[in-house]
Amino acid sequence: MKPHTTTTLIDELTQAVGAAHVLTGNAIPLQSCTDWFQTHTHVPLALVRPGTPVEVAQVMTICHRHGQPVTPQGGLTGLVAGAVPAENDIALSLARLNGIEEIDTAACTLTVLAGTPLQTAQDAARAAGLLLAVDLGARGSCQVGGNIATNAGGNRVIRYGMFRDQVLGLEAVLADGTVVCGLNKMLKNNAGYDLRQLFIGSEGTLGIVTRAVLRLHPQPQSCNTAWCTLPDYDTVVRFLRHAQRTLSGTLSAFEVMWPDFHELATTRIPGLRSPVNAHGLQVLIEMEGGEAGRDMAMFSNMLEAALEQGWLRDAAIAQSLKERESFWRLRDAVSEFPLMWAPYCGYDVSLPISSLGRFVDELQRALRDTFPHCEHVHFGHVGDSNLHVGVHIRPGHGVFPEDRIDACVYGIVRRYGGSISAEHGIGEHKKAYLSHSRTPQELALMRTIKHAMDPKNILNRGKVLA
């Protein structure tokens, strides 16, 4: 873009949102130039912070007229560089679009602005006696709009589904500044195409979500949590199906950790200890229900039956909120791995549940054979087919081979018919491997939709599609 054109663009954006909310050069904070892993850092042409959906539309109208690329940004907790701007992009932050507009207790809905932190929305639902079901470790920083744009998952997917299952309606701004408002509050609405699905999971490449109507659920009245050890993956699957069958729809979390994860977390991270003594695959299981006494009996009976079947080597039931939190702190030790292991590769993949155990066995062998000096961890939600993998090469063995590790992991994912992204999206990091999980026909249709909705290719250019 020519200098005089750049000046005109910045002047127009300043008129739209105010001088205090158009930052350039050294005034742009580092956090707006990168994401959680900080592997890609680019200073954008400007950081623009609109305060209303109308201002978002004005910004996009101006940028569309100038052919100016725009990178939408939420809480910047992503792991695939999906919100990292290029050097000549406008970074469009939604942080000022923050607030709960309505809670309808009769319809069990919450209407929220896109820049609202997830935890703020959760707290508002809880204060109304209701539950916003999706939960993520980054709840205090991630934003609802970003959760929608990436179709976030988290720990409760096995019961409540992905973020798309919580979205009844939304408002979005298109690349040319057109506002598409579909703030539907009804569970059933078959009036034509379901346009909200174009934006959910599209990572800001088709439009910018500015408002949403989220589905709420009754607030659970009881919670029972246990940490169990099992001998092998096939037994884990039997235990999962047993729990789903006997807990009558109240199973809300089923987290599985392979021995490599458990050993690393309990021996290398200060303050963490295992609730059990037995070795094997570790499972954190949780149910949420509506009647404390009955639920505890149901949960205990489920575990006793599994013990009688010989499926569990050991089990510990959390006897207090403090113990429950300690169980989850061990599961959430993953947040320490990038700090402890830098450089580090993290993977978020999805496999058919029946194949997941064999996939881990094959991947562990391939990593050891190809990278003799590597360390690895495997863990995931499993009940929703999601597996996370972490890989580190011990220091002193040359340049970190990130590209070769990617090819190793995604090559095996492809052979097993899995997805290269279960819940973190494609962004910039994974776009070269999207064809591993999508057919040529699917990719062609994605490009057709992108071109129809953003013919100038200014929305999050260079993300998702190669």
Side-chain angles (χ1 to χ4, degrees), residues 82-341:
V84 177
E87 290 181 358
N88 292 317
D89 284 5
I90 294 295
L92 191 155
S93 168
L94 297 173
R96 293 179 62 223
L97 269 73
N98 185 341
I100 309 298
E101 295 195 327
E102 181 194 50
I103 296 180
D104 185 332
T105 56
C108 286
T109 63
L110 180 149
T111 304
V112 61
L113 289 166
T116 306
L118 175 61
Q119 188 168 355
T120 300
Q122 290 174 327
D123 290 345
R126 187 178 301 110
L130 296 166
L131 172 72
L132 177 55
V134 171
D135 189 37
L136 315 172
R139 65 186 70 84
S141 303
C142 66
Q143 297 172 7
V144 169
N147 297 152
I148 293 171
T150 56
N151 188 29
N155 301 327
R156 295 173 174 156
V157 171
I158 190 173
R159 180 170 178 181
Y160 296 103
M162 300 284 282
F163 216 97
R164 75 169 65 252
D165 299 295
Q166 322 309 319
V167 181
L168 293 177
L170 55 75
E171 174 187 83
V173 176
L174 303 184
D176 64 358
T178 300
V179 178
V180 179
C181 187
L183 295 174
N184 167 70
K185 293 170 65 174
M186 299 165 290
L187 189 58
K188 284 187 172 181
N189 185 347
N190 262 349
Y193 301 147
D194 191 354
L195 297 177
R196 65 189 163 149
Q197 301 298 347
L198 286 170
F199 305 103
I200 302 172
S202 68
E203 301 183 48
T205 61
L206 301 181
I208 301 173
V209 175
T210 50
R211 282 189 176 96
V213 179
L214 303 182
R215 182 184 182 188
L216 303 180
H217 301 266
Q219 184 70 41
Q221 302 302 303
S222 73
C223 182
N224 291 281
T225 310
W227 190 284
C228 308
T229 304
L230 296 92
D232 53 52
Y233 181 75
D234 288 343
T235 307
V236 167
V237 174
R238 282 194 290 271
F239 180 47
L240 168 63
R241 298 309 175 209
H242 163 71
Q244 288 177 315
R245 184 174 62 253
T246 58
L247 296 182
S248 302
T250 60
L251 179 65
S252 57
F254 193 88
E255 303 290 306
V256 181
M257 292 139 282
W258 270 257
D260 52 12
F261 175 101
H262 188 245
E263 180 180 359
L264 183 73
T266 55
T267 62
R268 307 260 293 273
I269 299 178
L272 295 182
R273 64 180 185 84
S274 179
V276 295
N277 295 318
H279 297 286
L281 276 79
Q282 310 294 322
V283 173
L284 173 57
I285 183 171
E286 190 164 87
M287 72 169 287
E288 293 176 321
E291 188 177 319
R294 180 198 63 190
D295 296 337
M296 171 58 87
M298 186 186 301
F299 192 67
S300 299
N301 290 339
M302 180 275 296
L303 290 175
E304 288 175 10
L307 283 164
E308 290 172 1
Q309 290 287 338
W311 296 336
L312 307 185
R313 287 179 171 172
D314 199 0
I317 298 177
Q319 300 298 319
S320 64
L321 176 60
K322 184 177 179 180
E323 282 196 357
R324 175 181 179 266
E325 289 174 344
S326 73
F327 290 4
W328 278 104
R329 200 156 45 243
L330 179 52
R331 161 59 181 85
D332 291 339
V334 57
S335 61
E336 300 288 334
F337 294 168
L339 304 175
M340 180 178 64
W341 262 3

Side-chain angles (χ1 to χ4, degrees), residues 426-428 430-435 443 447 462-466:
I426 300 299
E428 188 176 336
K430 296 186 179 186
K431 65 182 182 179
Y433 295 96
L434 186 55
S435 62
L443 292 171
R447 293 189 180 96
K463 311 294 170 46
V464 184
L465 292 169

